[in-house]
Amino acid sequence: PGDLEACGFPPHGIELRNSLVAEESVLRPTLLPGLVKAVATNAARRSHGVRLFEVGHVFLPVPDPPAVGDGPGRPDLLPDEREHLAVAWAGADATEAVGLVLTVGEWLGLDLDVANAERPGLHPTRSAAVTLDGDEVGVVGEVDPGVLAAHDVDERVAWLEVDLGRLLAVTTVDGGHRPVSRFPSSDVDLAFEVAEGVSARAVEATLAAASDLVWSVTLFDTYRGDGVTPGHRSLAYRVRFDAPDRTLTDAEVGEARRVLIDAATTAHGATLRG
């Protein structure tokens, strides 16, 4: 009790009759109070600029429930339980929060948009609704300065909260998950010289998609200077190969390495460095 009001929401939430903890007797309609408290806990310990996320359930009142009897055994009176994704990014602003929206949309293959709108708990002129095909699926912006002051947080906090269940229900993107292999993996390092205009993330994506044996691609070094053509830079990646059903042979790793080099050369005009 009191957490919702401290975060700019109506103070009267859905209360539990038999809460296990008296201090936590109100069902949350948003993930904002918990994450703001987490930011405040870090701030009190001089840990600033934290980036936190949570996937959790929220509970919304059912609008106009049917008036049929009363007492227990009334599933029609249960709250509307949903799964949300929320991000609190201390030290960031609304522009960076919108960047989070675009990132979520990119990964889910959804064309998410934002439309200016005031929302509880957020700065009145730095908040917006997150929409998908015109329907609101979340909120984005900055946490209201009054809310931050009430929690002794002295830095701006970017905020994003979306209805994850609704987004996952409509996305057609395969998350690309696969079982972790029980067999040893093999790592190779590949350094490419590319023009300055070539995105390091684009090269990474090309390498990751070039072979089914690629488990991960990590950029670990960027270099400009002696030995690199002016207007170019060197990008060094560590690539991990593995297979779900066997230990890879040296020949298989060598062939996969060649495939990745050819893909980067073809797609980005990259040159393998010795």
Side-chain angles (χ1 to χ4, degrees):
D3 281 357
L4 291 177
E5 188 173 14
C7 285
F9 284 78
H12 304 295
I14 301 174
E15 295 189 19
L16 293 172
R17 292 181 179 177
N18 58 344
S19 172
L20 295 178
V21 181
E23 293 78 11
E24 297 179 357
S25 60
V26 180
L27 294 177
R28 59 186 184 183
T30 170
L31 300 179
L32 184 65
L35 281 178
V36 168
K37 279 187 174 182
V39 171
T41 299
N42 280 273
R45 288 154 178 78
R46 297 191 297 174
S47 179
H48 301 286
V50 295
R51 303 179 184 186
L52 308 174
F53 82 92
E54 179 178 0
V55 174
H57 287 217
V58 300
F59 303 85
L60 310 177
V62 176
D64 304 320
V68 181
D70 56 17
R74 291 290 309 281
D76 54 298
L77 293 181
L78 292 176
D80 181 8
E81 183 176 355
R82 302 189 180 192
E83 186 174 43
H84 279 197
L85 162 68
V87 179
W89 182 353
D93 59 17
T95 299
E96 288 162 306
V98 172
L100 294 174
V101 173
L102 300 179
T103 298
V104 171
E106 177 184 352
W107 279 96
L108 293 177
L110 300 175
D111 188 16
L112 298 180
D113 200 357
V114 296
N116 290 338
E118 291 189 27
R119 290 295 180 267
L122 301 186
H123 192 296
T125 63
R126 299 174 190 162
S127 59
V130 180
T131 61
L132 176 64
D133 296 330
D135 294 329
E136 184 170 336
V137 293
V139 297
V140 66
E142 290 181 34
V143 179
D144 190 286
V147 172
L148 298 176
H151 291 81
D152 294 323
V153 176
D154 60 359
E155 56 184 336
R156 296 164 80 168
V157 177
W159 179 257
L160 166 67
E161 184 168 1
V162 293
D163 188 329
L164 189 59
R166 291 179 64 184
L167 299 185
L168 293 178
V170 297
T171 183
T172 58
V173 172
D174 181 357
H177 305 293
R178 65 170 180 168
V180 176
S181 176
R182 296 184 293 109
F183 298 89
S185 59
S186 296
D187 290 354
V188 299
D189 291 347
L190 297 173
F192 296 100
E193 181 177 307
V194 298
E196 286 286 3
V198 175
S199 165
R201 288 189 63 184
V203 177
E204 178 181 324
T206 296
L207 297 175
S211 170
D212 291 339
L213 298 180
V214 175
W215 173 258
S216 64
V217 181
T218 304
L219 176 68
F220 69 87
D221 184 61
T222 300
Y223 171 74
R224 298 173 179 86
D226 294 341
V228 176
T229 306
H232 290 64
R233 70 193 190 284
S234 171
L235 302 175
Y237 298 89
R238 179 156 294 131
V239 181
R240 173 159 294 179
F241 297 111
D242 76 3
D245 57 351
R246 67 190 186 282
T247 299
L248 296 175
T249 65
D250 290 343
E252 287 178 309
V253 173
E255 174 61 17
R257 178 180 182 275
R258 184 194 63 78
V259 169
L260 267 62
I261 294 171
D262 290 347
T265 301
T266 301
H268 308 288
T271 301
L272 183 68
R273 300 188 71 218

